[in-house]
Amino acid sequence: MPMDSSTTAGAADRGAANARTRILDAAEALFADRGYEASSTARIAGRAQVPKGLVFHYFPQKIDVLVTLVDERTFVEELREQPVEAVPGDPAGTLSRLARRLPLHASPAMRRILFREADTHRSVRERLGRLNGEVFLRARRALELALPGARGDQARLEVAAATFTAVLIYQENLSSLTGQHVDPDAVADLIARALGA
Amino acid sequence: MPMDSSTTAGAADRGAANARTRILDAAEALFADRGYEASSTARIAGRAQVPKGLVFHYFPQKIDVLVTLVDERTFVEELREQPVEAVPGDPAGTLSRLARRLPLHASPAMRRILFREADTHRSVRERLGRLNGEVFLRARRALELALPGARGDQARLEVAAATFTAVLIYQENLSSLTGQHVDPDAVADLIARALGA
Amino acid sequence: MPMDSSTTAGAADRGAANARTRILDAAEALFADRGYEASSTARIAGRAQVPKGLVFHYFPQKIDVLVTLVDERTFVEELREQPVEAVPGDPAGTLSRLARRLPLHASPAMRRILFREADTHRSVRERLGRLNGEVFLRARRALELALPGARGDQARLEVAAATFTAVLIYQENLSSLTGQHVDPDAVADLIARALGA
Amino acid sequence: MPMDSSTTAGAADRGAANARTRILDAAEALFADRGYEASSTARIAGRAQVPKGLVFHYFPQKIDVLVTLVDERTFVEELREQPVEAVPGDPAGTLSRLARRLPLHASPAMRRILFREADTHRSVRERLGRLNGEVFLRARRALELALPGARGDQARLEVAAATFTAVLIYQENLSSLTGQHVDPDAVADLIARALGA
DNA sequence: TATGAATGAGTGTTCATTCAT
DNA sequence: AATGAATGAACACTCATTCAT
């Protein structure tokens, strides 16, 4: 944060982060707050404290800002690289741990953007689908490892994984949109009971 | 005031419907398809086959179209009046029946609108909250009636009801946004197992 | 004010004055307050508590409302019929009396309208011109009668009359627009001194 | 920032002026001619030969065009800096000279705008008030200097200054609105007589 | 006489985008 | 890389006016 010395020193270096980052930061905040359509490029530039024209220097079209945001600030790859940890015999604890490890937790703003814009932008929808799929696969794998005896058939396990995934991913949106709070740990416990002894 | 039944029934009825209804129909389709912000009043008028000015005759502001849609085409009241049916000893069947009876099923378009715009419009968010609350209350009551022995504590029952409500309401969005399909009947079964014998 | 019994009794008779009068009242208030251009016919109708269509029943075009207002509520004729009273030897008192007798005093709203719209509407300008001319003629005649000895030449007397007329007619506008208050009596005294011994 | 003197002087200069100036020129002409409300931004742009959008680049709101016009083209500051010249013993000549020196004379269009829009726009009204106040102060001071013997009391002197100010400022409006021409020199003479020997 | 739905041109304003510098 | 003037299509909304009833 103190002086980004990787760039050549110059008068234009005022402000903490470089222009491109500031633009993305501003866009992230605005898209989360009011939606993509309602956030003008001028406003993004204003909030980023860069001239209007510069936005188009880095991102030829407005939609590229959204696409870049989703590409660079949604950690699907990081998620995939993380090992699945499971405690055999404790499916509830295993799911809870999975929930807590999700890098998803990092940016509430990105999650709002992801859900809101998935509805109308294919590339965002694809990203959300991959994210969901990744979490689903890990939940299923975790449950398989936690229940070595393979109690309950495969179909039920999938339903359990899908339900947990939905609650996990939508969690925050759910509570901000409907006012209904759902505790992932409690759901993990519920699911464990359904699959358990 | 509405006297639409005086026209001959049939597909041709759509063109014969009065202007206000046609405007709402057009708006519903467009809002669901591309979102509120991206649907211009001119386009709504065009699709409804009415002059631009008439939209503002009925709805002084664009937002009033959305509010009216949510007010008139989201059956919260109808939902409340419906009795809760339960089969004692069969929580899974009880939840499944509840799901099938939901007037919510009527309009996928309205549900998309509800979720998308709740993010940015308070009045829509409130409506969605009420709808969610109503479904939650009915799910909990249904489970109470289906499990007369009060097996499992109250807290667990609430988590079960909340989880089922979330899956039920979000169901369609979930599958269109993430590609993940969740079958309410299977979730009902899962939850019944968690609470049941 | 209690029941305008000159019309045939009917259900539509609610409200004190008849519709046409209410429309003119509303227009007078609005035109004075925000100007002709900024007062929509819909707003006039709203304030008059009559349906929009009715305005056009009485006044085929919006401009007719203004023209009618100026025609019916600007008392040029009444002014002309009034005799010129003068006190020989007391020009100051004579002018002061003239000022006090002016029916002009009746409606500040109409005077605002007259000055504002004269700038852009010929018919209003003509009316204002006639009004000014009438006051000027009476001021000159009053001064002639008050100064029988014809002291001072005719040209000076005309300047005096014109100056007094300007102050008199513009008086209220002047003080509301510039914050400068000019007392007609003091000006009458000043002018008398200029013409007097 | 303004560098208009780099172009060749002459009538062709108007087309060469920068866009902002052309917009203000066009607005000044239109506002004076038909009033602020009746002059659309599209028309202003058309007359200035600039695209509609550019008007809003320089003036975010239409009202800003009016405010800027009043700010930049009404010489209150210039007026204040000018010394008050007086010829002791010749109040009539002193007032006449004051009238002739008024930079006010420069733009008849601005004066029409000032009076017309003061009625409905506070910022314009304030400007007109300041202008009137400035002229009044100068007229009073000029009379004090021209009449060193302090003939006539202070109150009379103020009435004289106010009357002359009104005639001077309103002069042109008066003649265009009412058809009545008032010659400032003649009024100066009248006032001098009222105060003088 | 009274009414409000209907109409479409026009209004102020926003916007993504381009481009010369 | 950086800048802000320039552009014109599109936007939400207003309006005087018409007209069938």
Side-chain angles (χ1 to χ4, degrees), chain A residues 3 6 12 23 44-45 48 60 76 82 94 100 106 111-112 114 116 138 152-153 157 159 161 177 180 187:
Chain A
M3 266 222 257
S6 66
I23 292 169
I44 293 170
V76 180
Q82 217 173 273
T94 298
R100 246 171 288 119
R111 223 156 346 136
R112 285 188 81 172
L114 228 37
R116 230 196 102 85
R138 306 177 72 75
D153 58 317
L157 212 139
V159 169
L177 293 184
Q180 176 96 248
V187 176

Side-chain angles (χ1 to χ4, degrees), chain A residues 101-115:
Chain A
R101 294 279 157 91
L102 230 50
L104 208 58
H105 255 152
S107 167
M110 277 313 302
R111 223 156 346 136
R112 285 188 81 172
I113 294 171
L114 228 37
F115 282 111

Side-chain angles (χ1 to χ4, degrees), chain B residues 7 15 18 23 43 51 73 79-80 89 96 131 152 169 172 180 184:
Chain B
T7 57
N18 64 59
I23 292 169
R43 198 166 183 133
R73 302 194 173 184
L79 181 59
R80 192 174 304 157
S96 287
L131 210 155
I169 287 194
E172 194 172 302
Q180 175 96 249

Side-chain angles (χ1 to χ4, degrees), chain B residues 31-187:
Chain B
F31 289 172
D33 199 41
R34 47 198 348 108
Y36 172 81
E37 291 286 347
S39 305
S40 75
T41 54
R43 198 166 183 133
I44 293 171
R47 191 184 235 260
Q49 307 221 57
V50 301
K52 270 188 319 175
L54 198 53
V55 172
F56 291 91
H57 178 67
Y58 288 110
F59 309 99
Q61 312 223 80
K62 185 189 174 188
I63 190 67
D64 296 329
V65 179
L66 178 58
V67 169
T68 301
L69 230 28
V70 167
D71 262 16
E72 297 185 2
R73 302 194 173 184
T74 284
F75 312 98
V76 180
E77 280 73 24
E78 284 79 347
L79 181 59
R80 192 174 304 157
E81 286 159 13
Q82 219 173 271
V84 175
E85 294 174 28
V87 182
D90 181 13
T94 296
L95 288 180
S96 287
R97 181 162 319 178
L98 182 77
R100 246 171 290 118
R101 292 277 157 93
L102 232 50
L104 209 59
H105 254 152
S107 169
M110 277 312 304
R111 222 155 347 137
R112 287 188 77 172
I113 294 171
L114 227 36
F115 282 109
R116 229 195 103 85
E117 307 309 335
D119 217 34
T120 41
H121 297 98
R122 197 170 41 80
S123 71
V124 178
R125 190 160 55 243
E126 285 169 1
R127 188 77 172 197
L128 181 56
R130 279 216 303 287
L131 210 155
N132 187 92
E134 208 59 51
V135 173
F136 169 72
L137 288 177
R138 307 177 72 76
R140 193 181 57 184
R141 182 85 188 112
L143 284 174
E144 286 169 353
L145 294 174
L147 297 166
R151 256 170 298 199
D153 60 313
Q154 189 65 15
R156 184 139 56 234
L157 211 139
E158 296 224 340
V159 170
T163 302
F164 189 68
T165 300
V167 167
L168 201 56
I169 287 194
Y170 259 115
Q171 188 198 151
E172 194 172 302
N173 281 56
L174 216 64
S175 77
S176 78
L177 293 184
T178 65
Q180 175 96 249
H181 295 275
V182 186
D183 177 15
D185 286 345
V187 176

Side-chain angles (χ1 to χ4, degrees), chain A residues 56-108:
Chain A
F56 289 89
H57 177 71
Y58 289 111
F59 309 98
Q61 311 226 91
K62 185 190 173 188
I63 189 67
D64 296 328
V65 179
L66 178 59
V67 169
T68 302
L69 227 32
V70 167
D71 263 16
E72 298 186 1
R73 301 194 173 185
T74 288
F75 313 100
V76 180
E77 280 71 24
E78 284 79 348
L79 182 58
R80 193 175 302 155
E81 286 158 15
Q82 217 173 273
V84 175
E85 295 173 29
V87 183
D90 180 14
T94 298
L95 288 180
S96 287
R97 180 164 320 178
L98 181 78
R100 246 171 288 119
R101 294 279 157 91
L102 230 50
L104 208 58
H105 255 152
S107 167

